[in-house]
Amino acid sequence: MARMQIATEASTWLVQAKDFLNEARRLKPGPERNELRQTAKVLREIAKLETASAPAKKPDRRRRS
Protein backbone atom coordinates (compact mmCIF):
# COMPACT_ATOMS: atom_id res chain seq x y z
CA MET A 1 0.00 0.00 0.00
CA ALA A 2 2.85 2.41 0.81
CA ARG A 3 4.40 1.79 -2.60
CA MET A 4 1.13 2.72 -4.31
CA GLN A 5 0.95 5.94 -2.30
CA ILE A 6 4.52 6.89 -3.26
CA ALA A 7 3.85 6.15 -6.92
CA THR A 8 0.75 8.33 -6.79
CA GLU A 9 2.70 11.16 -5.18
CA ALA A 10 5.42 10.88 -7.80
CA SER A 11 2.89 11.06 -10.59
CA THR A 12 1.35 14.10 -8.90
CA TRP A 13 4.75 15.81 -8.98
CA LEU A 14 5.07 14.99 -12.67
CA VAL A 15 1.60 16.30 -13.48
CA GLN A 16 2.39 19.54 -11.70
CA ALA A 17 5.69 19.82 -13.59
CA LYS A 18 3.85 19.34 -16.87
CA ASP A 19 1.36 22.06 -15.92
CA PHE A 20 4.20 24.47 -15.15
CA LEU A 21 5.88 23.71 -18.48
CA ASN A 22 2.63 24.22 -20.37
CA GLU A 23 2.17 27.59 -18.71
CA ALA A 24 5.80 28.54 -19.44
CA ARG A 25 5.30 27.75 -23.13
CA ARG A 26 2.47 30.29 -23.27
CA LEU A 27 4.73 33.09 -22.05
CA LYS A 28 7.25 35.14 -23.97
CA PRO A 29 10.91 34.48 -23.11
CA GLY A 30 11.87 36.22 -19.90
CA PRO A 31 12.33 35.84 -16.16
CA GLU A 32 8.80 34.62 -15.44
CA ARG A 33 9.05 31.89 -18.08
CA ASN A 34 12.48 30.86 -16.80
CA GLU A 35 11.14 30.64 -13.24
CA LEU A 36 8.31 28.34 -14.33
CA ARG A 37 10.73 26.13 -16.25
CA GLN A 38 13.06 25.95 -13.23
CA THR A 39 10.12 25.04 -10.97
CA ALA A 40 9.13 22.25 -13.36
CA LYS A 41 12.72 20.97 -13.32
CA VAL A 42 12.70 20.83 -9.51
CA LEU A 43 9.34 19.03 -9.48
CA ARG A 44 10.66 16.40 -11.92
CA GLU A 45 13.71 15.91 -9.68
CA ILE A 46 11.46 15.45 -6.63
CA ALA A 47 9.44 12.85 -8.53
CA LYS A 48 12.65 11.06 -9.50
CA LEU A 49 13.88 11.02 -5.89
CA GLU A 50 10.51 9.78 -4.60
CA THR A 51 10.56 6.93 -7.09
CA ALA A 52 14.15 6.02 -6.24
CA SER A 53 13.44 6.01 -2.50
CA ALA A 54 10.42 3.71 -2.85
CA PRO A 55 11.06 0.22 -1.52
CA ALA A 56 11.54 -2.38 -4.23
CA LYS A 57 8.47 -4.47 -4.87
CA LYS A 58 8.95 -8.05 -3.77
CA PRO A 59 7.88 -10.67 -6.27
CA ASP A 60 4.63 -12.41 -5.39
CA ARG A 61 5.54 -16.08 -4.99
CA ARG A 62 2.09 -17.28 -4.01
CA ARG A 63 0.61 -19.91 -6.24
CA ARG A 64 -2.49 -19.01 -8.11
CA SER A 65 -5.27 -21.56 -8.39
Side-chain angles (χ1 to χ4, degrees):
M1 186 66 149
R3 181 171 166 73
M4 178 63 96
Q5 182 179 1
I6 291 171
T8 302
E9 290 171 4
S11 66
T12 301
W13 295 116
L14 293 174
V15 168
Q16 289 179 346
K18 182 180 176 185
D19 290 343
F20 275 95
L21 285 175
N22 287 338
E23 184 62 31
R25 287 185 186 110
R26 292 185 185 106
L27 299 174
K28 292 180 181 178
E32 189 177 353
R33 181 179 180 175
N34 292 341
E35 185 177 334
L36 288 172
R37 293 180 67 199
Q38 184 63 33
T39 301
K41 182 179 178 181
V42 170
L43 290 170
R44 287 192 312 267
E45 186 64 27
I46 291 170
K48 183 179 173 184
L49 292 172
E50 287 279 337
T51 303
S53 69
K57 185 178 179 182
K58 295 181 182 179
D60 187 5
R61 298 196 184 272
R62 293 180 285 169
R63 288 188 174 186
R64 296 182 182 173
S65 306

